[in-house]
Every structure is written in C-alpha cells, then in structure tokens.
Amino acid sequence: MLTARKELDAELGGTARAWLDEALAEAAHDAAAAPDALRVEVSPCASPPWELRYAAAGRHCGPEHADSVRSLLLVEARAPLSSVTRLYEQGTAAERRAVLLTLHLLDLGDTALPLVEDALRANDTRLVAAAVGSYAADHLDPHAWRHAVLKCLFTEVPVAAVARLADRARGDAELARMLDDFAAERTAAGRPVPEDLRTVLALTAPTAAPAPTEES
C-alpha cells in the first residue's frame, strides 16, 4: 500500500526527509520545464535528475518506503510515457513494482498497457499483484482481464489484489467457464482447487433482478 506524503514525512528521519524534498523539487521542476505535449523521448544519458533519484529511493528512504517515495516522484514529475517505460524496462523488480502501482495516478490513458501485459507474463508474484491494480481494472479488455485473474490463481497471488474484482467479474459467464476448466484441470491432476477460485466463481453469478412487489 502506498503511503501519503504527510504520513511518510512522519515516518522518515530528517536526512531522508531532506533528500525527499530535494527529489520532489527536481521532479516538479522537470514537470514545469515544458508543456506535456513537448516532453519527448530522451536518451538514458540525458534522463532528468529525478529519474536517478527514483532508483536511489530505497537507499535513502529505506526499502519499506521505496514504493511510496517512487510513486510520489512519478506523480510530482507528471511522468510521461517515455519516463515510465524507461524506469520500468531498466529497473529492478522493486522499481518496476512502483511503476505499476502508480500508473492509475498518471495521465497516460491506455498507453501504458504494454507494461501491465509484460508484468502479467512474469512469474514474479510481486509484479503480478501490482499489475492487477486500478490501472488494469480501468484499461484491460475483458479477455486480458480474465487471463490476469487466472494468472493470480495460477501463481497464488491473492485475488484480493485484483482491483474492482466484484464489479468486473459479476455476470461474466466466460470467466466462469474458464474457472470451471481450471478447477477441472487441477482436480484431474490431483491438485487442490484454490479457495480463491471458488470466491471468484461465486462473484461471476449474475445479479438477480429484484422480486416484484405486490401493490397494495
């Protein structure tokens, strides 16, 4: 879970707070330097200073705060797709996770979907869990979203990580079919069916229409 700036300041020491203040100031300066329409791709050697801060967040603010610090940097910089993609592709698993956790806070539309799709192809459960957050709920098409849910079940990522699960699963007969097939395969192989699968399957039931009431 990401921590808000006010709470983060209360948890960080003085040196870490000062580093974060400087980092966010650099991110804000980059965001103000040119209109979004003019912010174009740059070479790695010309990356803005805040991107270097992004990689160093864990070292200066502690690994337990790194996701939140990196998220604040991305938001403050109004990170364009070029920066988001570069930080994801060149980053460690922890740096990639922070990108995925922040996508829904950036004005990227569906342009960052390739990053979510990449994470869902991975077997790193930290990335899978981060990939099925709010951005995926908003932008993944039904086919891709159903496979994301199955990916969680296959990799044992708790389905609680799937944003808006109940809303998107409700009445989804195709998802129900896929879950039944998955359960049958597990049973045939002598493997237990995850309890989370039953949870999602129950959510796929269509919402019953309200019963008519008798007029008095």
Side-chain angles (χ1 to χ4, degrees):
M1 180 179 295
L2 298 176
T3 304
R5 174 71 192 280
K6 184 177 181 180
E7 297 172 349
L8 196 57
D9 280 345
E11 296 176 11
L12 294 175
T15 301
R17 282 198 306 273
W19 182 91
L20 179 57
D21 286 342
E22 292 176 1
L24 291 176
E26 289 175 352
H29 179 270
D30 185 64
D36 289 344
L38 299 179
R39 300 172 76 190
V40 297
E41 180 67 74
V42 295
S43 65
C45 61
S47 298
W50 71 266
E51 291 190 21
L52 301 178
R53 300 271 195 174
Y54 182 92
R59 185 165 69 253
H60 289 276
C61 297
E64 69 276 22
H65 300 305
D67 281 345
S68 298
V69 170
R70 289 173 176 139
S71 181
L72 287 171
L73 284 170
L74 289 167
V75 171
E76 193 69 27
R78 297 204 311 272
L81 182 63
S82 57
S83 289
V84 170
T85 301
R86 180 166 48 250
L87 291 171
Y88 180 88
E89 291 180 345
Q90 298 179 2
T92 63
E95 291 162 26
R96 291 183 173 198
R97 182 179 66 244
V99 166
L100 295 166
L101 291 172
T102 311
L103 289 177
H104 69 291
L105 300 175
L106 304 174
D107 187 19
L108 298 172
D110 63 1
T111 62
L113 274 176
L115 306 185
V116 172
E117 293 163 353
D118 178 82
L120 290 172
R121 287 192 294 268
N123 289 320
D124 187 326
T125 55
R126 297 170 299 173
L127 296 184
V128 174
V132 292
S134 296
Y135 185 84
D138 290 339
H139 296 290
L140 278 180
D141 64 37
H143 176 77
W145 185 82
R146 292 178 190 120
H147 281 278
V149 173
L150 286 178
K151 179 75 173 191
C152 288
L153 294 172
F154 182 77
T155 58
E156 299 183 352
V157 168
V159 295
V162 182
R164 290 176 36 214
L165 175 63
D167 289 341
R168 291 207 58 168
R170 186 177 297 114
D172 192 334
E174 176 61 14
L175 177 59
R177 182 195 65 77
M178 294 168 70
L179 292 170
D180 282 337
D181 288 348
F182 182 72
E185 291 173 4
R186 299 276 293 199
T187 301
R191 302 179 66 187
V193 176
E195 189 60 37
D196 270 357
L197 185 147
R198 297 185 176 90
T199 298
V200 180
L201 189 58
L203 293 174
T204 64
T207 303
T213 58
E214 294 183 3
E215 295 183 2
S216 56

